Amino acid sequence: MPHPRDLHDLAVAIARDAGELARVRRAEGVAITATKSALADIVTEADREVEAFIRARLAEERPLDGFLGEESGVEGGTSGVTWIVDPIDGTVNYAYGIPAYAVSIAAVTGDPRPGHWDAQAGVVFNPASGELFHAVRGEGAWLGDERLAVVPEPSPAGALIATGFGYNPATHPGDIARVARVMPIARDVRRVGAASLDLAFVAAGRFDAYFERGLQPWDHAAGALLVEEAGGLVGGYDNVDEFGRALLVAAGPGVFETLRDLATP
Ligand code: IPD
């Protein structure tokens, strides 16, 4: 098995180049090419191009690894390593020109299902801000060169809590009700529009916590490792709602359980 640091270094190099490609395509103008699970769930030509770029680079460097990407699906490998990739997380922000989107790349080993895999390395790169969040299993998480740490306990004013909503309109009433339940422990809430950045911000202590239902593996694989390596907790995967959407809660230890309970079911 390769050292997690080698997987990390490769992920960082590819994420930087992929992010630059996304940034250039954004500057050239973005066209929505298709819708996916719902009308609001869009894909741009850049999503596909950036994923193809990442996939080709990984195939070149590590041909025996598996791959799971948002736009091009899954391919098994034989090395025991699987790469989980969201080429542009925050596609709606990207399409609207909001500078909050990210390339998310994680290398995991073991069973490649959320809650079962062992993430070894993760990178979340926002090319619009130049911020690169990265983590190595057992070694820590960083923003650039700065070591990250979650907020252990929210201030008495309450927790700054981020969340997100899925694309299926039928799920919105339940999500809004959950936000209402969480408000008593919140000083305020945020909806960034890119789950990988929400998680990176928890790792960086910019948010006290984040929760959302219905995330896909590529939305959270890299970000969850950032949070864990910054001393936070990530969980809730077994907590499924009536739409079959698993919960994800990421937080410092002081608020994790309370938030998980409030966000259930
Ligand atoms: C979406 C974003 C959004 C979250 C959605 C995700 P995409 O990913 O992370 O913040 O609320 O659940 O699907 O579609 O932009 O890659």
Side-chain angles (χ1 to χ4, degrees):
M1 199 57 68
H3 193 280
R5 178 150 285 283
D6 295 333
L7 299 171
H8 162 275
D9 293 352
L10 179 60
V12 167
I14 296 177
R16 279 197 187 284
D17 291 347
E20 179 56 15
L21 177 60
R23 196 190 61 74
V24 167
R25 291 291 180 262
R26 172 61 245 176
E28 290 168 353
V30 168
I32 294 163
T33 41
T35 56
K36 299 192 284 186
S37 63
L39 274 181
D41 187 5
I42 54 170
V43 58
T44 70
E45 194 46 52
D47 288 89
R48 291 178 175 162
E49 187 184 357
V50 175
E51 181 157 317
F53 171 86
I54 296 169
R55 194 167 184 162
R57 281 279 294 272
L58 286 169
E60 216 173 275
E61 303 276 347
R62 297 194 47 88
L64 303 181
D65 293 352
F67 184 88
L68 172 60
E70 174 165 22
E71 313 304 340
S72 61
V74 65
E75 188 181 327
T78 53
S79 68
V81 175
T82 302
W83 294 90
I84 305 186
V85 170
D86 193 339
I88 302 177
D89 180 40
T91 304
V92 174
N93 286 345
Y94 185 76
Y96 275 74
I98 298 168
Y101 61 90
V103 176
S104 174
I105 301 180
V108 309
T109 53
D111 184 344
R113 284 178 300 151
H116 295 81
W117 66 51
D118 290 318
Q120 303 297 329
V123 178
V124 173
F125 177 48
N126 177 357
S129 68
E131 289 190 318
L132 188 133
F133 300 87
H134 52 118
V136 180
R137 167 68 68 204
E139 293 188 14
W142 300 266
L143 166 55
D145 295 335
E146 180 199 334
R147 184 82 188 249
L148 300 180
V150 299
V151 179
E153 184 76 48
S155 86
L160 186 59
I161 299 176
T163 191
F165 308 99
Y167 294 118
N168 176 4
T171 62
H172 293 164
D175 287 342
I176 301 291
R178 261 181 290 279
V179 171
R181 286 207 300 275
V182 161
M183 280 315 278
I185 64 157
R187 73 183 300 151
D188 206 342
V189 293
R190 295 287 182 269
R191 199 292 191 247
V192 169
S196 60
L197 290 176
D198 289 313
L199 289 160
F201 288 7
V202 172
R206 294 176 181 174
F207 293 150
D208 293 295
Y210 163 66
F211 74 101
E212 181 166 347
R213 280 189 183 275
L215 291 177
Q216 300 296 327
W218 45 81
D219 295 318
H220 62 84
L225 181 64
L226 290 169
V227 173
E228 287 171 359
E229 286 298 324
L233 300 168
V234 183
Y237 307 111
D238 295 339
N239 185 318
V240 175
D241 72 0
E242 72 270 32
F243 296 97
R245 298 180 310 153
L247 177 67
L248 182 135
V249 177
V255 73
F256 178 83
E257 276 181 30
T258 310
L259 181 59
R260 189 192 51 202
D261 293 349
L262 289 170
T264 300

